[in-house]
Structure formats: C-alpha cells, structure tokens
Amino acid sequence: MKTLVWVEHDNASVKDATLAAVTAAGQLGEVTALVAGAGCDGAAAAAAQIAGVAGVLKADDAAYANALAENVAPLIVALMADYDAFVAPATSHGKNIAPRVAALLDVMQVSEVLSIEGPRTFTRPTYAGNAIATVESTDAKLVLTVRGTAFAKAAASGGSAPVTAAAATGDAGLSSFVGAEIAKSERPELGSAKVIVSGGRALKDAQTFQDLIFPLADKLGAGVGASRAAVDAGYVPNDYQVGQTGKIVAPEVYVAVGISGAIQHLAGMKDSKTIVAINKDEDAPIFQVADIGLVGDLFAIVPELTEKL
Amino acid sequence: MKILVPVKRVIDYNVKPRVKADGSGVDLANVKMSMNPFDEIAVEEAIRLKEKGAASEIVAVSVGPAKAQETLRTALAMGADRAVLVQVEDGTEVEPLAVAKILKAVAAEEAPGLVICGKQAIDDDSNQVGQMLAALLGRPQGTFASAVSVEGDAVVVTREVDGGLETVRLALPAIVTTDLRLNEPRYASLPNIMKAKSKPLAVKSPADYGVDVAPRLKTLKVSEPPVRSAGIKVPDVDTLVAKLKEMGVA
Ligand SMILES: Cc1cc2nc3c(=O)[nH]c(=O)nc-3n(C[C@H](O)[C@H](O)[C@H](O)COP(=O)(O)OP(=O)(O)OC[C@H]3O[C@@H](n4cnc5c(N)ncnc54)[C@H](O)[C@@H]3O)c2cc1C
Ligand SMILES: Nc1ncnc2c1ncn2[C@@H]1O[C@H](COP(=O)(O)O)[C@@H](O)[C@H]1O
C-alpha cells in the first residue's frame, strides 16, 4: 500500500505529531511525506530525515502558507491518484483537512485511529473513549487521522529520502487567512511533555492558577494543562484544555489538581502512565483512575509540594 | 440570509456509556438522549445572528430516527423557525459521509448562506460532517469556531487551533463548525416550548434526496477500553514527594 502522510510543520521544522503519523502509515506500507507550505524547504529537508519516510513531496506555494483546507484539499486529492491511503495526525490541522479530502474522494474517514489491526481494519475511540470500535473500511482508498499518543514516534533523524516538487493547485479563492494568536511558551508542549500538571475549576482565578500551578510545573519540568471549566472561567487560554474535545495527552506523569474527573476530561488523559490526583473530595471520580491520590485542600498542598520537590 | 443548522440526537453528555456485553455497540436502551452539545451551540449562534439582523430564517435539520423529532422540537423551542427530519429506521447509524450528502441535498433546496454544524458528535466523535459538507458543496469551512461575525458577503471566523487561535475570512455561502466557547446556549422558555409544537416540521427520507446510507465502515466489534484500577491514596505531601522521587520525576 502506498501512503501519503500530511506533515505538520512551521516551514522550518516538522512538528512532533507528524512522527506518530509516519509510524502508523509505515504499518500500512511505503510512506511519502507531503510538505505543503510557503518557503518550506527547511521542513521538507527535516521530513526527508524522518526514519521510515521513503520520499518527500514538497508543494511550495503562497496558497499553502496557512494550510487553508480549501487550498490544500485539492492538492492532496490530485496527489491521491497515486496513493492508497492518506494519513494525517489528529491535530487541529489534520482534523480540519482530512475530512475535506475524504469527501472529495468519496471515502468515509476513520478518525483518531488508535491501532492498525489489518490493511483495512482499525480501532478508534467513540463515546469519549468509553467504547473502542474496531472498524473495517470498504472504500477503495483510506483516509485516516491518527491519535498521536497511540503510536510511537518515528525517529526524527536517520533517513535520507529524496525531495521532489509537487505541482501546486493554486488558490481556491474561497478563504483567506486573517491572523493568529499563537501563545509562545517556554514550557514543553502538551503533546510531547513527559510530565503535565493540570488545574481545574478549584483554582479560583487566573492569578491563583498562575501562582500555584505554574511553579509546580516548573519544578517538575512539566507542561501545563487544564479542565474545560478552568478554560471557560478564563484561568488559561483554550489551547490548555485536555479532554474529549480538547487535547489528548499521555505523559509519563499527569498531575490533576482540583479537577473532578468528568468523563470528558478523563477521555483526554486516562492513557497517562501514572496519574496523580489532588482533590479535597475523597469521592471525586478522578480518584477512580488515579494511581496516587492525595485528599486535601490544594491551597495548602500545592505550595508545600512545590517547596519540597 | 437563511441559516441551516444540522442537529444530532445523541446520548446525553452526563450519561456514562456502557458497552453491550455482545460487543455489538453501546447500550442506548432506556438511556437519556439529548441534542449534541455542540449543536445546541450551533442553534444558539444562529439565533444570535438572526437577533442581530444578519439572518432571516433558521432551519434545523436532523438525520435520525422518528425520536429525533424531539431534538428538532428543542431547536424550534430555542428559536429555529422550521425543521426537517430525514428519517431513518430506529437503530440505523448514518455515517458522517452519508449525513454530509443528505445535508448537501437539503442545502440545494434551501440555499442557506451559512450552515452551522457542531464540531463533533459526542457519540461517534468523528469530527467530519461540517468539513465533508463544505467539500461536497465546494464552499469554505470555518471549523472549531469560537467567534463568528458576518461582514457583508463574508463571514469572519476565529478558530480554536492547537497553539491558540486563528482567524479566517470565508466567502459566503460557508460552513462553520462550533467549538465549546462560541457561546452559552439558552434554555427554551415554557411559552417557547409550547409555540415550538406548532412550528413546521417536515419529514423526509434519505431516498427523497437520492442518498445511499449504507455504511462504508463495517463495525467488527465494540469493546470497553482497558480499565484503570484505582491506585493508592497517600496520607501527606511528604509521601507524595517520596513517590514522585521513586518514579524519577522529581
Ligand atoms: C460536549 C462537552 C465536551 C466537554 N469536553 C471537555 C474536555 O475536553 N475537557 C474537560 O476537562 N471537560 C470537558 N467538558 C466539561 C466536563 O463535563 C466538566 O464540566 C469539566 O471537566 C469540569 O471541570 P473541573 O473538574 O475543573 O470542575 P469541577 O467538576 O467543578 O471540579 C472541581 C473539583 O475541584 C475540587 N476542589 C474544589 N476546591 C478544592 C480545594 N480547595 N482543594 C482541592 N480540591 C478542590 C472539587 O472537589 C471538584 O472535584 C465537556 C463537556 C461537554 C458537555
Ligand atoms: N445524524 C445527523 N443529523 C444532523 N446533523 C448531524 C448528524 N450527524 C452529525 N451531524 C452534524 O455534524 C456535526 C459533526 O458530527 P460528526 O462528524 O459525526 O462528529 C454534528 O455536531 C452535527 O452538527
């Protein structure tokens, strides 16, 4: 099977989520990495070094600068004449683009693939991860999005695939990019952090969240996440949200502080290796999944913990 | 401008889904069902656009069993003007691709300026229909919206993306999918619930639109995820610190 993998990048380097998608695609067959961007030589060179990538297609055009689905989907659909499967990481870009490609190919997409059980058979989560479905595609081609935490990351170096240029398909003239507010953080990204400290509604306000969660995260070299309640209340921006409809994470250690453990939150973090929960309610559902629980008032516990670490 | 709002009847978000013992699916017998939460947000957004004068009529549409009428009545009670049920037999699951094809046909009849979908249905968690519909209609898509404003012949959508927010400008007609922070849906008032009972609700079938709803994905089995067993409780911070040190994270 010949697979085409969507490379998530910032024109200069390749984002981590791509590496898991390469591993998944490699289980299906030969991997070609698609780097679509504007001035994306750096990213194409980086993609060529990923272990397991047999070839890189570079589509360098102003129309692809911001990965607008209206512009990149026709490119992918044109390329798919030569491939059997399109594989994208289940990131916000991947989720935006892949279904548009699938519909144009008249294919039913398999979303958030967790494992590859056969050439056309996959497992995927449904009902906030409370039911795992095994599905077999009957379509001529495959379109998949891949959950990053479910596949090992391919090595970012060691490969030396040839880079070829792909013909651009131009600007569809339907949409334009106005701007972005992308938070710059020195902290590890949630997708790749080994340790994550997340705060919930109990943190009271943005200042308290700052004063308690961030220093603890700093001590642990951790990424920072949050429950939806904390995000809705404005303690932290939306991209901190962990859960069914936020980010899916699976670090070595996940520390949940003042988070009750609603199924929608658990859906995003219950594959973490070790879960630590701090909550004053000993019956909070989070303790049903926590490996280590500490019952008590976070306003006393967190400062003491930060100090003693 | 007309707004089309696709709404799905799903398991209520407060219910913990249980997998059937025979592995054929999730047990929905006697389970509370509600409108998909993202679709409530979509209905609310449509109403707000109408209240602002940016829209003239709101049509809610659902693909589902006869009971999905209840979901459509909820949309009507919130403030939608009309509803269309594309009815399938109870127990038939219609995949996103087929839903998108039906919606395309409905859009051909209704000619909406805007279609506002939820970003994902909380049962299948597919996150596909809006993007697929946009593809089939050859129109732009503003997915995972946290702000929507109609400006002349365009809609400006702020999107929740992995690193933060991004804003795109889409030529109308366009498809928008809602994220959680777009708005807080209103509750329908009792008088509006009564009024909704007499609002028009048309019942159609996929065949009326010439759409084949046969699934493309065969579900071989549905199983429970691996269960995590509860661990230990530690009595104090010192013990927690010791544990973290044992694990090598501190
Ligand atoms: C469609 C939909 C999608 C959703 N998606 C997500 C998602 O992706 N992610 C997500 O997180 N949620 C999601 N939710 C929301 C989810 O249902 C819960 O409402 C949310 O997770 C609750 O957040 P919380 O645990 O911070 O708040 P709460 O449930 O209010 O819990 C606060 C906890 O803090 C504890 N506490 C209070 N004070 C203290 C103290 N001083 N010390 C210690 N502990 C204290 C309490 O005992 C309680 O357990 C979604 C909901 C819907 C409807
Ligand atoms: N059966 C359906 N009837 C009407 N709208 C639907 C249906 N299924 C999905 N949708 C719409 O598409 C969105 C995304 O669904 P999905 O792609 O299944 O996750 C939902 O939030 C609804 O707005």
Side-chain angles (χ1 to χ4, degrees):
Chain A
M1 197 179 288
K2 289 177 74 187
T3 69
L4 184 66
V5 171
W6 172 259
V7 174
E8 184 117 357
H9 64 86
D10 57 6
N11 285 321
S13 63
V14 168
K15 299 260 171 76
D16 258 15
T18 313
L19 303 174
V22 167
T23 302
Q27 292 178 15
L28 292 169
E30 189 185 89
V31 178
T32 299
L34 170 62
V35 178
C40 55
D41 282 340
Q49 287 173 32
I50 299 172
V53 170
V56 175
L57 282 174
K58 183 178 64 131
D60 204 331
D61 192 279
Y64 307 136
N66 298 292
L68 291 171
E70 297 78 9
N71 293 350
V72 296
L75 168 72
I76 296 163
V77 170
L79 295 171
M80 280 302 288
D82 297 327
Y83 296 89
D84 307 297
F86 177 65
V87 180
T91 54
S92 50
H93 276 144
K95 291 177 186 175
N96 187 43
I97 294 163
R100 191 165 178 113
V101 170
L104 294 171
L105 294 171
D106 194 29
V107 166
M108 176 55 209
Q109 171 181 311
V110 185
S111 297
E112 298 265 352
V113 169
L114 296 174
S115 69
I116 295 174
E117 303 290 320
R120 320 196 71 79
T121 308
F122 310 94
T123 64
R124 61 170 304 260
T126 58
Y127 293 87
N130 286 292
I132 308 298
T134 305
V135 297
E136 185 187 4
S137 168
T138 60
D139 284 318
K141 292 186 193 271
L142 296 170
V143 175
L144 315 176
T145 62
V146 168
R147 180 168 286 192
T149 55
F151 291 86
K153 292 189 177 97
S157 61
S160 58
V163 178
T164 27
T169 44
D171 193 318
L174 295 169
S175 56
S176 57
F177 184 79
V178 178
E181 280 172 52
I182 302 296
K184 288 224 167 40
S185 164
E186 299 301 305
R187 270 174 241 285
E189 261 186 66
L190 288 181
S192 43
K194 289 215 158 31
V195 181
I196 292 175
V197 180
S198 281
R201 192 197 312 267
L203 270 305
K204 273 207 182 97
D205 52 37
Q207 193 60 48
T208 315
F209 195 104
Q210 279 275 335
D211 294 347
L212 289 178
I213 299 296
F214 286 77
L216 175 57
D218 288 340
K219 272 284 174 76
L220 293 169
V224 175
S227 71
R228 174 189 171 189
V231 173
D232 281 357
Y235 305 174
V236 285
N238 64 281
D239 53 300
Y240 284 61
Q241 182 180 314
V242 170
Q244 178 188 16
T245 56
K247 292 223 169 75
I248 309 290
V249 301
E252 297 284 316
V253 181
Y254 187 89
V255 186
V257 180
I259 291 179
S260 61
I263 61 169
Q264 294 87 3
H265 188 79
L266 300 185
M269 44 64 80
K270 71 180 172 197
D271 293 330
S272 304
K273 197 146 167 249
T274 302
I275 296 173
V276 178
I278 298 168
N279 196 302
K280 70 173 180 192
D281 172 9
E282 62 175 330
D283 295 323
I286 191 77
F287 287 125
Q288 289 165 19
V289 299
D291 300 282
I292 306 175
L294 178 51
V295 179
D297 182 2
L298 73 90
F299 297 102
I301 290 170
V302 174
E304 184 187 345
L305 178 59
T306 307
E307 201 205 296
K308 288 183 171 165
L309 279 169
Chain B
M1 179 176 80
K2 202 188 277 186
I3 302 181
L4 193 66
V5 187
V7 297
K8 187 176 187 187
R9 178 176 185 266
V10 297
I11 190 168
D12 186 84
Y13 81 96
N14 275 312
V15 176
K16 181 162 163 56
R18 268 191 323 246
V19 173
K20 285 192 216 161
D22 67 1
S24 64
V26 165
D27 195 355
L28 295 177
N30 304 315
V31 166
K32 183 175 180 213
M33 304 292 281
S34 301
M35 189 189 301
N36 184 41
F38 290 98
D39 305 351
E40 287 184 355
I41 296 171
V43 174
E44 176 66 33
E45 195 63 18
I47 298 168
R48 291 189 188 183
L49 287 169
K50 191 178 165 192
E51 286 168 350
K52 277 187 218 150
S56 51
E57 190 185 22
I58 301 166
V59 182
V61 48
S62 190
V63 180
K67 284 232 168 100
Q69 290 205 18
E70 292 167 13
T71 314
L72 289 168
R73 291 285 171 210
T74 305
L76 294 171
M78 287 174 74
D81 298 292
R82 280 193 295 123
V84 179
L85 172 62
V86 183
Q87 193 172 324
V88 294
E89 237 172 85
D90 212 0
T92 305
E93 282 178 43
V94 185
E95 289 174 341
L97 180 61
V99 171
K101 287 179 181 176
I102 291 170
L103 294 175
K104 177 192 178 189
V106 174
E109 270 179 18
E110 301 282 353
L114 207 52
V115 183
I116 311 182
C117 290
K119 90 163 171 183
Q120 94 195 43
I122 61 163
D123 51 1
D124 63 33
D125 280 335
S126 292
N127 195 332
Q128 296 180 18
V129 168
Q131 298 89 314
M132 287 183 155
L133 175 62
L136 297 177
L137 291 170
R139 298 307 310 167
Q141 63 190 50
T143 52
F144 326 145
S146 64
V148 173
S149 73
V150 175
E151 297 177 5
D153 56 2
V155 57
V156 176
V157 179
T158 302
R159 309 179 51 231
E160 296 202 356
V161 295
D162 287 338
L165 298 171
E166 87 176 27
T167 304
V168 291
R169 186 179 184 87
L170 314 173
L172 293 173
I175 289 78
V176 167
T177 79
T178 61
D179 217 316
L180 292 170
R181 277 161 289 276
L182 180 56
N183 61 49
E184 236 184 272
R186 69 193 64 192
Y187 289 101
S189 67
L190 198 55
N192 284 344
I193 292 173
M194 300 309 292
K195 257 202 273 176
K197 293 191 175 154
S198 53
K199 288 187 180 175
L201 190 160
V203 180
K204 304 265 190 165
S205 76
D208 291 340
Y209 298 108
V211 176
D212 176 8
V213 297
R216 303 290 189 82
L217 299 180
K218 264 195 273 177
T219 300
L220 304 181
K221 77 170 186 242
V222 176
S223 49
E224 301 247 6
V227 274
R228 270 194 99 97
S229 40
I232 52 157
K233 292 229 170 79
V234 292
D236 52 34
V237 171
D238 290 325
T239 325
L240 178 55
V241 170
K243 287 273 171 204
L244 289 171
K245 292 210 156 121
E246 255 170 53
M247 293 188 298
V249 293

